[in-house]
Amino acid sequence: MSESQKKSTFFGGAAILAVSAIFVKVIGAIYRIPLGNILPDDVMGDYNAAYNIYNFFLTISTAGLPVALSKTISEANALGRRNQVERVFRVAFSTFLTLGLVSFFCMTVLAGPLAEYAISNPKAVYCIMALAPSVLCVCVMSSFRGYFQGHFNMMPTGVSQIIEAGSKLLVGLALAMFCMKQFGEAFGSVGAIIGVSFGSVVALVFIIFLFLKNRRQNRRQKSQSADKPEPAGVILSNLLKLAIPITLGSAATSIVTLIDTKLVMSQLTAIFHSVDGLALAADGTGAALDAARSLYGIYSKTMSIYNLPFSMMVPLTACIIPAVSAALARRDRREAQKVSESALRVGLLLALPMGMGLCALGGPIMGLLFPRIDTAVAGPLLSVLGIASIFVALQLLCNSILQANGMVNLPIVAVVIGGLVKIAVNYTLVGNPAIRINGAPMGTLCCFLVVDILEMLIIRRAIPQPPSFLRALLKPLAAALVMAAAAWASYGLLNRFLGNALSTVGAIGVGVIIYLILVLALRAISPDDLALMPKGDKIAKILKIQ
């Protein structure tokens, strides 16, 4: 492989995952928005509360190992060790399968106690059970995705994600409506979640098919390789040395989220019970719990929109680790710095306008997507979460840079400190009867602001040639601020003559046009960034970037 081909590999893979991520998010929006309109607020709260349990077990099972797997395989490939690659995959697959089975057992047998004590929502028990098959399938699927990504082949991951999301859309919405009609509103979330598990099964079958299809070629390459692979025990030990700190860092976030969910639900229930005088039965059910579930459901619907900006970082973070690791394996620190800084710049170019746009148009966007929602409650929630999403995106990018450089322990401290800040802020604000649910997004914002500051300090001090955050941030931030102001002003003007829907769409259109113009005028993306992308030289000529 030529040097230019090596340089294009990073953003070539990122482009594939970016396109798939866009499709997945579009499908997810098509799924979550009508689902949010189909399900009542309280049932939507059950859906998202169960997802927090699911995400915890998924994090424990898959947060660190795919990163360790792709990193280890990319390093072995860079050294031409084909036999090592195959043995690494076999060890990782067995580990993924074991973790998936344990998680499946916990989410089925222990679903009742998890709903009652972990999230203070006993009505979410069937949702937790319905998600158990998905945990098992995603665990197994992660081993194949990590294998392909370690070979810089992002296509299987991207296509399987689209298949998973599409199956979830078709089956989930249909089952949600069917279960609501046959068994009542409370079971609508269960039907939707069964669709999630079905999508995981279909995606797993697809990616196994691709793996088996390419196995003959892999065996031929293995037979031509003379390297002696390390013993399975050594490989597992090396994988766990990298995976466990990453998992602990991610698990800390999931644990904080679980504590936060329980805290928010408990605080809201207590407020409705004591201040508003709503009856609460001895078994934890009643009007106070239902009122808390409804308010948490509104917050959950804003969270589905808030997830969009930083979800676009997934393609970049999936590519940063193997690309930087391969450069460091070749002792090319300058290339590692170049890739890291380009990824930061591209990531912020995506996250900043989306986050600022959500902040400027929080109420109108929620009114457009969820016509029956109380925008007086949902609008301010989304506006604060829009700013928070930028810091979440930056944290994901910083984490991937640190992980690629083998620094997986220090970020755990930052995440734990941020999580404690989040719990403290939420306990104080959500427990205030005058603030209630409005305190939840403030806790998220404070959490990731603290985490970002700490992780940027770690990068600056611990990496010999760190990327420049200032160069990556200033121009995209300036363009995003002007764009947000223009979108806000445009909505105010258009709303005098048009309805909310047309005014919101028009304001978003104005913001997009202004942002693109400013990015080009300010030269917020550099020729070096474009040179690393497929056909980047031609794009630079078309856009006249020099």
Side-chain angles (χ1 to χ4, degrees):
M1 182 181 291
S2 67
E3 191 64 27
S4 62
Q5 287 175 321
K6 289 180 181 178
K7 289 183 177 181
S8 68
T9 300
F10 168 70
F11 275 108
I16 292 172
L17 286 183
V19 171
S20 68
I22 292 171
F23 275 107
V24 168
K25 287 304 162 184
V26 169
I27 294 171
I30 295 173
Y31 172 67
R32 292 296 289 267
I33 293 171
L35 181 65
N37 288 310
I38 291 170
L39 300 181
D41 291 338
D42 54 349
V43 179
M44 191 69 181
D46 299 340
Y47 178 94
N48 281 278
Y51 244 95
N52 289 334
I53 295 289
Y54 166 76
N55 284 332
F56 170 75
F57 283 103
L58 201 63
T59 298
I60 294 295
S61 304
T62 66
L65 274 174
V67 174
L69 178 59
S70 65
K71 182 178 187 296
T72 305
I73 287 179
S74 66
E75 289 174 344
N77 271 328
L79 300 174
R81 300 187 64 191
R82 302 294 182 185
N83 294 326
Q84 174 76 357
V85 167
E86 295 303 317
R87 182 166 291 182
V88 166
F89 171 74
R90 288 198 299 271
V91 171
F93 177 81
S94 300
T95 308
F96 273 113
L97 180 60
T98 302
L99 291 172
L101 290 171
V102 171
S103 299
F104 177 84
F105 173 83
C106 291
M107 291 185 66
T108 50
V109 177
L110 303 178
L114 287 172
E116 178 72 31
Y117 300 110
I119 56 176
S120 294
N121 188 354
K123 295 189 176 183
V125 60
Y126 296 113
C127 295
I128 295 173
M129 295 176 69
L131 278 168
S134 183
V135 168
L136 176 58
C137 291
V138 174
C139 283
V140 176
M141 191 160 31
S142 294
S143 62
F144 294 105
R145 287 175 174 172
Y147 176 82
F148 283 120
Q149 287 170 199
H151 286 83
F152 293 98
N153 182 3
M154 308 301 174
M155 187 66 74
T157 296
V159 176
S160 66
Q161 288 172 343
I162 294 173
I163 291 174
E164 185 178 1
S167 301
K168 177 178 70 175
L169 167 67
L170 297 175
V171 178
L173 290 179
L175 284 179
M177 291 184 288
F178 174 79
C179 290
M180 288 183 67
K181 183 177 180 180
Q182 295 295 322
F183 308 110
E185 288 185 342
F187 286 90
S189 56
V190 178
I193 284 177
I194 292 174
V196 174
S197 293
F198 178 83
S200 300
V201 172
V202 175
L204 176 60
V205 171
F206 168 78
I207 204 165
I208 290 176
F209 170 77
L210 287 186
F211 179 79
L212 294 176
K213 183 180 178 181
N214 293 318
R215 193 165 187 173
R216 181 177 300 176
Q217 179 181 354
N218 294 337
R219 283 179 173 175
R220 185 162 52 248
Q221 291 176 341
K222 177 184 174 183
S223 64
Q224 295 171 354
S225 179
D227 72 289
K228 183 179 180 180
E230 296 172 343
V234 174
I235 291 173
L236 179 60
S237 176
N238 292 335
L239 287 174
L240 293 179
K241 284 179 183 177
L242 179 60
I244 288 177
I246 296 173
T247 301
L248 289 176
S250 300
T253 302
S254 295
I255 291 171
V256 168
T257 301
L258 281 178
I259 295 173
D260 188 51
T261 301
K262 179 179 176 61
L263 181 64
V264 170
M265 285 295 297
S266 300
Q267 293 285 75
L268 290 176
T269 302
I271 289 174
F272 283 119
H273 181 53
S274 60
V275 178
D276 295 348
L278 298 179
L280 181 65
D283 62 355
T285 62
L289 177 60
D290 290 341
R293 288 168 60 223
S294 180
L295 205 54
Y296 185 76
I298 293 175
Y299 179 58
S300 298
K301 291 178 181 179
T302 64
M303 291 290 288
S304 65
I305 309 303
Y306 147 83
N307 287 331
L308 179 61
F310 62 83
S311 66
M312 299 300 292
M313 299 305 102
V314 174
L316 287 174
T317 56
C319 294
I320 288 173
I321 294 171
V324 173
S325 298
L328 292 176
R330 298 190 300 268
R331 301 184 182 277
D332 190 349
R333 287 197 170 274
R334 185 173 181 180
E335 178 67 15
Q337 178 195 38
K338 189 176 181 181
V339 170
S340 299
E341 188 170 317
S342 292
L344 275 174
R345 187 160 34 249
V346 174
L348 290 171
L349 280 167
L350 292 172
L352 279 166
M354 288 188 285
M356 291 293 186
L358 293 179
C359 178
L361 301 173
I365 288 173
M366 291 304 297
L368 172 66
L369 300 178
F370 304 99
R372 293 183 297 175
I373 204 168
D374 186 352
T375 55
V377 176
L381 295 177
L382 185 60
S383 292
V384 177
L385 287 172
I387 300 298
S389 70
I390 299 171
F391 292 104
V392 179
L394 181 58
Q395 187 249 353
L396 291 174
L397 293 167
C398 289
N399 267 356
S400 63
I401 292 171
L402 289 168
Q403 291 163 9
N405 282 271
M407 299 171 188
V408 294
N409 294 312
L410 292 175
I412 298 175
V413 179
V415 171
V416 171
I417 293 173
L420 294 175
V421 169
K422 178 180 175 68
I423 291 173
V425 172
N426 280 6
Y427 179 82
T428 303
L429 297 184
V430 178
N432 187 328
I435 300 176
R436 300 189 184 187
I437 196 63
N438 289 300
M442 288 301 301
T444 300
L445 174 58
C446 292
C447 168
F448 287 101
L449 174 60
V450 170
V451 173
D452 283 347
I453 291 172
L454 293 175
E455 291 198 350
M456 285 189 289
L457 289 174
I458 293 171
I459 289 173
R460 292 276 297 177
R461 292 181 177 274
I463 296 178
Q465 290 181 262
S468 172
F469 287 94
L470 204 58
R471 284 199 301 263
L473 175 64
L474 285 182
K475 291 181 179 180
L477 178 61
L481 287 172
V482 175
M483 177 223 69
W488 176 81
S490 299
Y491 177 82
L493 179 62
L494 293 172
N495 200 38
R496 296 181 181 181
F497 310 102
L498 305 172
N500 179 70
L502 291 176
S503 299
T504 304
V505 173
I508 292 173
V510 170
V512 169
I513 293 172
I514 289 178
Y515 184 72
L516 290 176
I517 292 173
L518 287 173
V519 166
L520 294 177
L522 295 173
R523 300 192 181 279
I525 189 167
S526 70
D528 288 338
D529 300 334
L530 293 174
L532 291 172
M533 298 181 185
K535 307 296 182 182
D537 295 338
K538 293 183 179 180
I539 295 175
K541 289 181 181 179
I542 293 173
L543 299 179
K544 298 182 179 180
I545 296 176
Q546 298 178 353

